């Protein structure tokens, strides 16, 4: 991996690491990381190092002004070949789109891909092997400059860490509260960027929703509080028998790679897929009349998670006809078959990574 210097200690750290029995999603952290510094237009040599804490000055700008972006991607273990990444160039493009919006430098392709391939290559022996399990990969970048003055930073750190993870999806479904008061993202703000602040903005609603027995929050558009947008970290689909509907992309919706892939995959399988603005009133009416047969949320971590109920803050629930829908499960399995290398890769979505050492 010419674009990333591999430290011997990092390879040793992986050798000395053993996977715990239980692998809750994102809890176990791989013992290595890639680190690159950016300083006034120059990128340092990318390095794969043993995992370790960072030392930050208390006035480090990210801690005050939230100049931070991230990505989430997975590598699957495939017997007899190297780990498989899923559409990593999509993550690179989105990362750099987020970077532009947050006034951060774009990470050159060879640095981003070199870093991801180095960590995946090094972690190949510690990717869990059961179906649905994976190495979750988290590239991120933040303003590392010190000082309380508000100005765009010139120093950044780009890091990649990883987590050997169990399947996020346990076979169940989720209940989703419609958020009719708070908003996640406003037009031409930062909703389309994968930046930590969007998550910070969602947490209070999440806490409230949990008190009512919900698992997730469904966000509406900021201007009218009328049109369905997405969940805090997942995109939304409603299924009308053989037709799928998902909100069309705007500046307030994150362009999910799972969403995009499912649209292509579902069309390939003969479903009609419409990307359109759809009001929450319409969704509720269509659930109640039985036109909507199922609904699901999708994202890299869960792939697809079926939605059993939408509901209000006061506890009113709208039950989907199928709590764990057939279409949802069919699409989920089809996508996982591609990601885990069982299905023919007709879309050329998977990328093999060479194991290191
Ligand atoms: C990451 C994310 C998604 C899902 O995107 P994927 O590329 O499918 O993982 C959806 N919504 C938000 C807000 C996100 O941050």
């Amino acid at each position: 991996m010419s674009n990333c210097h591999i430290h011997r200690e990092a390879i040793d750290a992986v050798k000395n690491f053993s996977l715990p029995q239980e692998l809750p999603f994102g809890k176990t952290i791989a013992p290595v990381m890639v680190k690159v510094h950016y300083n006034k237009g120059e990128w340092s040599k990318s390095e794969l190092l043993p995992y370790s804490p960072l030392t930050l000055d208390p006035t480090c700008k990210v801690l005050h002004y939230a100049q931070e972006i991230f990505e989430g991607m997975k590598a699957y273990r495939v017997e007899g070949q190297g780990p498989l990444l899923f559409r990593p160039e999509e993550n690179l493009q989105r990362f750099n789109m987020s970077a532009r919006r947050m006034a951060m430098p774009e990470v050159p392709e060879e640095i981003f891909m070199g870093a991801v391939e180095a960590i995946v290559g090094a972690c190949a022996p510690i990717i869990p092997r059961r179906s649905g399990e994976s190495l979750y990969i988290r590239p991120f970048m933040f303003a590392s400059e010190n000082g309380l003055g508000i100005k765009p930073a010139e120093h950044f750190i780009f890091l990649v860490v990883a987590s050997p993870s169990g399947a996020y999806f346990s076979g169940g479904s989720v209940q989703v509260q419609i958020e009719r008061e708070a908003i996640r993202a406003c037009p031409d703000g930062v909703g389309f960027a994968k930046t930590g602040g969007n998550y910070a903005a969602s947490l209070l609603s999440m806490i409230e929703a949990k008190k009512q027995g919900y698992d997730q929050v469904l966000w509406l558009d900021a201007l009218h509080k009328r049109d369905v947008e997405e969940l805090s970290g997942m995109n939304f689909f409603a299924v009308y028998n053989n037709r799928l509907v998902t909100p069309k992309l705007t500046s307030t919706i994150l362009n999910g790679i799972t969403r995009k892939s499912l649209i292509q995959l579902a069309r390939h399988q003969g479903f009609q897929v419409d990307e359109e603005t759809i009001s929450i009133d319409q969704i509720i009416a269509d659930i109640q009349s039985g036109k909507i047969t199922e609904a699901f949320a999708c994202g890299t971590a869960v792939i697809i998670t079926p939605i059993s109920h939408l509901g209000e803050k006061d506890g009113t629930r709208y039950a989907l006809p199928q709590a764990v829908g057939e279409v949802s499960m069919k699409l989920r399995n089809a996508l996982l078959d591609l990601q885990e290398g069982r299905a023919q890769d007709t879309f050329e979505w998977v990328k093999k990574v060479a194991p290191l050492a």
Side-chain angles (χ1 to χ4, degrees):
M1 212 60 56
S2 58
N3 292 314
C4 184
H5 178 69
I6 312 294
H7 286 257
R8 192 74 245 165
E9 295 83 353
I11 301 297
D12 291 344
V14 174
K15 283 203 181 108
N16 294 328
F17 182 83
S18 49
L19 276 180
Q21 280 298 328
E22 295 280 303
L23 286 170
F25 191 87
K27 273 264 166 68
T28 301
I29 304 297
V32 289
M33 64 185 191
V34 177
K35 193 171 174 195
V36 191
H37 289 268
Y38 174 92
N39 185 6
K40 295 185 181 165
E42 300 277 332
W43 294 94
S44 70
K45 183 85 191 151
S46 171
E47 294 178 281
L48 182 82
L49 302 156
Y51 189 86
S52 78
L54 302 171
T55 304
L56 298 179
D57 188 276
T59 68
C60 183
K61 286 197 196 295
V62 67
L63 301 177
H64 302 269
Y65 307 126
Q67 215 183 351
E68 187 270 355
I69 59 170
F70 66 95
E71 270 303 320
M73 51 206 295
K74 278 177 172 174
Y76 288 92
R77 184 186 196 110
V78 178
E79 286 322 318
Q81 36 179 320
L84 294 183
L85 283 168
F86 185 72
R87 309 187 79 177
E89 65 295 336
E90 294 284 335
N91 295 94
L92 165 68
Q93 278 175 24
R94 188 170 65 190
F95 193 73
N96 283 337
M97 184 200 56
S98 300
R100 288 192 292 276
R101 180 64 185 87
M102 302 307 288
M104 301 169 83
E106 292 183 40
V107 177
E109 176 170 0
E110 60 277 13
I111 292 182
F112 187 94
M113 288 301 174
V116 169
E117 288 178 21
I119 201 163
V120 171
C123 291
I126 58 166
I127 302 179
R129 55 182 73 242
R130 282 176 305 204
S131 179
E133 297 180 328
S134 64
L135 183 73
Y136 181 75
I137 305 151
R138 169 56 56 88
F140 63 109
M141 179 164 64
F142 62 89
S144 54
E145 199 166 311
N146 301 332
L148 295 174
I150 301 182
K151 68 172 185 62
E154 294 185 83
H155 302 266
F156 296 89
I157 300 178
F158 170 63
L159 289 146
V160 186
V161 298
S163 169
S165 289
Y168 198 102
F169 179 73
S170 54
S173 53
V174 293
Q175 299 200 29
V176 178
Q177 181 187 290
I178 303 158
E179 176 56 86
R180 294 185 183 270
E181 288 159 29
I183 57 166
R184 186 193 85 97
C186 64
D188 301 323
V190 300
F192 67 91
K194 223 167 164 68
T195 183
N198 287 329
Y199 280 75
S202 74
L203 296 176
L204 183 59
S205 297
M206 181 72 132
I207 292 168
E208 295 298 321
K210 292 238 151 127
K211 283 187 197 152
Q212 294 290 334
Y214 295 102
D215 308 289
Q216 290 283 334
V217 172
L218 181 66
W219 299 96
L220 305 181
D221 78 284
L223 296 184
H224 314 98
K225 299 187 181 168
R226 179 187 66 204
D227 300 325
V228 173
E229 300 220 306
E230 62 169 318
L231 286 75
S232 302
M234 290 182 276
N235 294 108
F236 177 82
F237 280 78
V239 182
Y240 293 74
N241 294 305
N242 288 326
R243 183 168 84 97
L244 274 64
V245 176
T246 189
K248 78 163 191 273
L249 295 177
T250 64
S251 62
T252 54
I253 295 181
L254 191 120
N255 184 355
I257 297 163
T258 316
R259 173 189 181 279
K260 179 176 181 173
S261 305
L262 285 171
I263 290 172
Q264 264 181 276
L265 191 59
R267 285 186 180 143
H268 185 74
Q269 296 203 351
F271 291 95
Q272 180 185 338
V273 186
D274 295 320
E275 297 175 69
E276 58 190 38
T277 303
I278 183 161
S279 69
I280 188 63
D281 289 350
Q282 189 66 52
I283 292 277
I284 293 169
D286 291 349
I287 291 174
Q288 291 179 326
S289 70
K291 280 192 197 149
I292 292 184
T293 42
E294 47 190 286
F296 63 82
C298 67
T300 296
V302 293
I303 309 177
I304 278 180
T305 186
I307 296 173
S308 68
H309 298 79
L310 292 184
E312 309 285 354
K313 240 167 231 183
D314 68 9
T316 310
R317 297 303 207 258
Y318 315 107
L320 274 297
Q322 302 180 34
V324 177
E326 271 164 62
V327 174
S328 308
M329 295 319 291
K330 179 177 165 177
L331 290 173
R332 182 178 196 281
N333 293 335
L335 189 55
L336 191 58
D337 283 346
L338 277 165
Q339 292 171 325
E340 295 188 332
R342 281 185 297 276
Q344 169 107 39
D345 184 20
T346 35
F347 305 101
E348 298 186 11
W349 281 344
V350 298
K351 180 167 188 198
K352 209 175 288 182
V353 178
L356 290 177

